[in-house]
Amino acid sequence: MSQTQRLIQIKEIIEQQGFTTINDLAERLNVSTMTIRRDLAKMVERNEVRLLRGGAELVEKFLAERTINEKSVLNLDAKKAIAKLVAPLIPEGSVIYLGTGSTVALLSDYLTQHFLRITTNSLTAFSRIANAHPDYEVTLSGGRLRPKSGVLIGGVTDTILERLNFDLAIVSADGVTTAAISDIIVEEGRAQSLALKNAKERWVIADHSKLDQAAYFPFFELKAMQRLFTDRVTSDQLRRYQGVINVNTVGGE
């Protein structure tokens, strides 16, 4: 059986089962586990599967959007751990942009800097930081509110963000691959991209469920970012992503 034929069968098996172990694939296809690992590596390169401990699952090419309330409780422990890792690294007194996403909003709980100048188009992040840190200068961009995500978007938002300069931009993403970071909503991704273009330093934060996922709208090349913060990566993911960006993680495999 050729590799092309195996890849087709592997994909069919994973589609049927949702998750499949390397040993199971080797037994069913009557090949070595080393061969299966090479096949899966090829599928990872194509962004078809995501490797997990001892096996693989399919990558959902285009993710379904969740509400801000749904996002706030999904993988909450991981998001808190990432926020706790990122917050102390923000330079005292810096001018920063905070993008959309529940993990970004959680940064508020771990900020200990005496003063920061923050601009955001996330209503959630603005509310949390303004209430918890009254000494900070916190600006909410104008724009049209998108209630499902609690984010300001549209022409007014874009005009404001493309005119501002930042020491640091911290954004989230619905999908992260070695090629790009992406968002389910075009307007939200575009707003973040405008802030990133005007920032000296660019960080992306995403829990492990976003890795090797491609959302609808790629809005910035990963290689143009400086740091990726996540909660855990496999050894294969670490190898691939470290070839593109500085990976900071709160846990391993």
Side-chain angles (χ1 to χ4, degrees):
M1 184 187 300
S2 68
Q3 185 185 53
T4 299
Q5 291 172 316
R6 285 197 309 273
L7 296 183
I8 293 173
Q9 290 201 25
I10 289 172
K11 187 172 183 179
E12 290 176 348
I13 291 170
I14 300 177
E15 283 178 339
Q16 293 169 2
Q17 301 181 191
F19 171 82
T20 307
T21 67
I22 291 172
N23 289 336
D24 180 54
L25 288 171
E27 183 177 340
R28 294 181 64 167
L29 299 181
N30 195 28
V31 294
S32 68
T33 56
M34 186 63 69
T35 296
I36 293 298
R37 290 182 187 277
R38 287 196 294 266
D39 291 342
L40 291 175
K42 185 71 173 179
M43 296 178 76
V44 167
E45 290 179 4
R46 296 177 179 178
N47 198 33
E48 293 177 338
V49 301
R50 176 171 57 183
L51 298 182
L52 301 175
R53 184 184 294 275
E57 66 179 5
L58 288 182
V59 169
E60 298 177 18
K61 290 290 186 179
F62 301 108
L63 310 175
E65 184 187 11
R66 295 183 173 92
T67 66
I68 189 64
N69 289 333
E70 290 171 334
K71 288 181 178 180
S72 67
V73 298
L74 190 66
N75 295 324
L76 182 58
D77 289 341
K79 292 176 179 179
K80 286 182 177 180
I82 296 169
K84 189 175 182 178
L85 173 67
V86 174
L89 301 177
I90 298 174
E92 174 71 44
S94 57
V95 179
I96 67 175
Y97 165 78
L98 293 183
T100 63
S102 53
T103 312
V104 172
L106 286 170
L107 288 172
S108 174
D109 296 345
Y110 305 100
L111 293 172
T112 58
Q113 292 82 351
H114 292 95
F115 177 76
L116 292 172
R117 180 175 293 171
I118 297 171
T119 298
T120 182
N121 59 316
S122 165
L123 186 59
T124 304
F126 173 81
S127 299
R128 290 177 69 101
I129 295 171
N131 289 329
H133 304 279
D135 291 334
Y136 290 6
E137 182 181 306
V138 189
T139 300
L140 181 65
S141 73
R144 171 170 53 87
L145 177 64
R146 191 168 183 277
K148 189 170 185 177
S149 58
V151 173
L152 295 173
I153 56 173
V156 173
T157 305
D158 293 350
T159 298
I160 292 171
L161 292 179
E162 68 185 355
R163 292 182 178 180
L164 301 178
N165 294 316
F166 304 101
D167 298 318
L168 170 65
I170 304 175
V171 302
S172 65
D174 292 314
V176 179
T177 68
T178 54
I181 56 177
S182 52
D183 202 299
I184 292 171
I185 305 303
V186 173
E187 290 174 300
E188 292 186 17
R190 184 173 64 228
Q192 293 197 121
S193 73
L194 292 171
L196 288 168
K197 290 176 182 177
N198 292 336
K200 297 176 184 176
E201 181 86 3
R202 307 177 184 102
W203 299 353
V204 56
I205 57 181
D207 69 75
H208 66 277
S209 69
K210 310 298 176 54
L211 300 182
D212 294 332
Q213 299 272 20
Y216 179 64
F217 178 61
F219 63 88
F220 218 77
E221 289 188 328
L222 189 66
K223 66 181 181 181
M225 308 290 289
Q226 279 74 48
R227 304 179 79 165
L228 165 64
F229 296 88
T230 187
D231 60 309
R232 67 173 186 262
V233 291
T234 66
S235 56
D236 175 72
Q237 286 174 323
L238 182 60
R239 175 184 59 79
R240 289 185 289 108
Y241 282 93
Q242 283 281 31
V244 180
I245 192 172
N246 179 7
V247 179
N248 301 258
T249 177
V250 294
E253 287 187 281

